[in-house]
Amino acid sequence: MQISEPAEYALLGMLERQPMHGYEMFQQFQEGILGLIVHLEMSQMYAFLKKLEHLSYIEAELEAQGSRPPRKIFHLTEQGRAVFQAWLTTPVERPREIRLLFLLKLYFMQSIMPQQVSHLVEQEMLACQRFLAHLESQRLPASSTSDTAFLERVVLSSRIHQTRALLDWLRELQEEFAEAR
């Protein structure tokens, strides 16, 4: 078992900032920017917290609440912090992962390690450039006229254009961060 959902990293990131109980995490998730990036139902969140606890990435302590049942306050373990930091500082490899994973990384990087945001964007640009070079090396000659070859060229062309657009967006993002300093 390992982390497989973007929301699981988001939960680790929230706990990197401060320990909190599940309902508090859910409220912050839903009311903030994280909810715009990743959809999370309360039942999913509790299942993810249980999984992260099983992986020893988080621990819970019971907190008394007077006459109400005690609540669990979750916090990161050292292992969880290491997993989160490694994930946070590693660029995503595929452009399709930018919409979720990169935006999550950017969100947490800006609040946890703002001095590293520019480096994260640079690393992401390099990863996209490598992926673009890989895609461009697969171009089929226009002389291939079968329906399959035509469709392969169309799909590849679409992926190339999407990756170029992402690179343009990352360059704009990099300029915005440079201007903001």
Side-chain angles (χ1 to χ4, degrees), residues 2-7 9 37-38 87-88 90-107 120 123-125 127-128 130-131 135 159 162-163 166 169-170:
Q2 60 184 1
I3 292 181
S4 58
E5 295 294 325
Y9 286 112
I37 300 172
V38 178
W87 170 80
L88 185 63
T90 304
V92 298
E93 293 298 318
R94 302 276 186 236
R96 69 175 174 252
E97 297 170 333
I98 287 179
R99 186 198 155 309
L100 289 175
L101 296 177
F102 176 73
L103 290 177
L104 282 175
K105 290 175 187 233
L106 190 61
Y107 173 84
L120 176 67
Q123 293 303 303
E124 198 55 52
M125 288 173 64
C128 278
R130 285 190 301 271
F131 190 73
L135 291 175
R159 293 177 74 198
Q162 289 172 3
T163 305
L166 285 170
W169 174 73
L170 287 167

Side-chain angles (χ1 to χ4, degrees), residues 60-111:
E61 294 178 12
L62 293 179
E63 179 182 86
Q65 299 188 97
S67 62
R68 297 176 62 192
R71 63 182 175 188
K72 283 184 167 184
I73 304 294
F74 295 95
H75 62 90
L76 278 182
T77 63
E78 287 305 313
Q79 184 180 0
R81 183 166 282 111
V83 166
F84 178 73
Q85 292 290 326
W87 170 80
L88 185 63
T89 57
T90 304
V92 298
E93 293 298 318
R94 302 276 186 236
R96 69 175 174 252
E97 297 170 333
I98 287 179
R99 186 198 155 309
L100 289 175
L101 296 177
F102 176 73
L103 290 177
L104 282 175
K105 290 175 187 233
L106 190 61
Y107 173 84
F108 286 111
M109 186 70 76
Q110 189 171 16
S111 65

Side-chain angles (χ1 to χ4, degrees), residues 118 121 125 167-181:
S118 182
V121 174
M125 288 173 64
L167 275 166
D168 289 343
W169 174 73
L170 287 167
R171 285 184 197 101
E172 287 178 22
L173 189 60
Q174 190 176 43
E175 290 172 13
E176 286 181 40
F177 281 115
E179 289 172 6
R181 284 195 233 167

